Amino acid sequence: MKQLLSNLLKNRDVHQSEIDFYSNKEGLDSDSFIEYLRLRGLDIIRRDDTYHLGIFKTTIKNQLFCIVDIESNGPDPQKHSIIEIGAIKYQNGKIIDKFSSLVHSNVVPKMVNEVTGIGIDDLLDAPSLNKVLNEFRLFLGDAVFVAHSAKWDYKFLSHSFENCNLEHMFNHKLCTLNLARRYIEAPKHGLRTLNEVLNIDVNHHRAYDDAYSAMKVLEYCFDKIDCEQTTDLLISNRLASKIES
């Protein structure tokens, strides 16, 4: 499986025979195996008897992005848990779909309550983490995962999937914090500051609102680049150079 993923991520065409080999190892037919990989976040496209990842062929304009934010009851995914997930599917300058859910928890530290406004009473009747993650997985699909400080959100969600015995994510990820540092002139590039700079009116530190803020940051940055370029150039940070101060 690692060799298959390596070939796909290096923009190498994978032939049907290779798909057949790995699908047999997983005990699946080839079509079911491809759907299994897509469900885990790989945007696999078939052309005749070969397969490749969509990001190498799809323009930024036409790419499907999923902008995500999570709130948690602490910073360590091995000790703490998610208490809210918000996400927005975005393509061609439009919101395609929305996702928002609180997550059941018996623990909300005072500091988290003060920052987010989320309290124990809000979470006692909320759906379980396993249920929310399963629904979020289906919502995310094989879209590009986008977040402000994407590495942290992606890592926390990956640990949460693992803790719930769910499959690891393979989605490509894109960080709006890194994009903002390249394309937005601001004293700082946290969402609170960018909300002020870009006049984004949201309730900061709630998951859906922060996902919306990150989407507006993404939109602003897209106005600064040629969105007819392919998505892999955006993800690998090979677009225009950083704004000179």
Side-chain angles (χ1 to χ4, degrees), residues 192-212:
R192 182 183 295 278
T193 300
L194 293 175
N195 286 341
E196 295 175 0
V197 170
L198 301 180
N199 295 313
I200 304 169
D201 184 16
V202 293
N203 183 9
H204 184 44
H205 281 308
R206 289 302 300 265
Y208 180 83
D209 291 74
D210 282 356
Y212 182 84

Side-chain angles (χ1 to χ4, degrees), residues 216-232:
K216 299 303 287 185
V217 171
L218 190 69
E219 280 188 325
Y220 183 92
C221 294
F222 280 177
D223 284 340
K224 304 292 183 181
I225 63 178
D226 177 9
C227 288
E228 294 301 327
Q229 298 177 85
T230 53
T231 307
D232 63 300

Side-chain angles (χ1 to χ4, degrees), residues 27-39:
L28 299 169
D29 61 71
S30 59
D31 288 342
S32 297
F33 181 63
I34 292 299
E35 286 307 308
Y36 164 75
L37 293 177
R38 286 174 177 153
L39 184 61

Side-chain angles (χ1 to χ4, degrees), residues 60-101:
I60 297 167
K61 178 182 177 181
N62 292 324
Q63 181 66 54
L64 179 62
F65 297 93
C66 186
I67 302 97
V68 181
D69 187 80
I70 63 172
E71 301 297 336
S72 66
N73 58 13
D76 188 342
Q78 296 184 351
K79 299 178 181 178
H80 304 112
S81 63
I82 295 169
I83 59 173
E84 187 177 36
I85 301 178
I88 299 169
K89 277 188 176 177
Y90 179 88
Q91 186 179 43
N92 278 318
K94 297 179 181 178
I95 294 176
I96 304 300
D97 204 354
K98 305 174 184 179
F99 181 94
S100 181
S101 180

Side-chain angles (χ1 to χ4, degrees), residues 92-174:
N92 278 318
K94 297 179 181 178
I95 294 176
I96 304 300
D97 204 354
K98 305 174 184 179
F99 181 94
S100 181
S101 180
L102 292 167
V103 181
H104 177 81
S105 178
N106 294 314
V107 179
V108 179
K110 181 180 179 182
M111 183 181 71
V112 172
N113 173 248
E114 290 174 349
V115 170
T116 65
I118 299 171
I120 284 289
D121 290 344
D122 300 309
L123 304 181
L124 290 179
D125 294 326
S128 69
L129 179 61
N130 193 292
K131 183 176 188 298
V132 175
L133 287 179
N134 270 295
E135 292 175 352
F136 173 71
R137 164 82 79 185
L138 292 173
F139 180 85
L140 175 63
D142 60 5
V144 173
F145 181 102
V146 183
H148 210 70
S149 298
K151 184 177 180 180
W152 185 84
D153 291 82
Y154 198 95
K155 179 180 179 181
F156 209 115
L157 277 163
S158 293
H159 274 282
S160 299
F161 279 121
E162 183 178 331
N163 290 340
C164 289
N165 296 314
L166 300 174
E167 298 282 5
H168 181 74
M169 294 188 298
F170 286 150
N171 299 70
H172 308 287
K173 58 180 178 288
L174 177 66

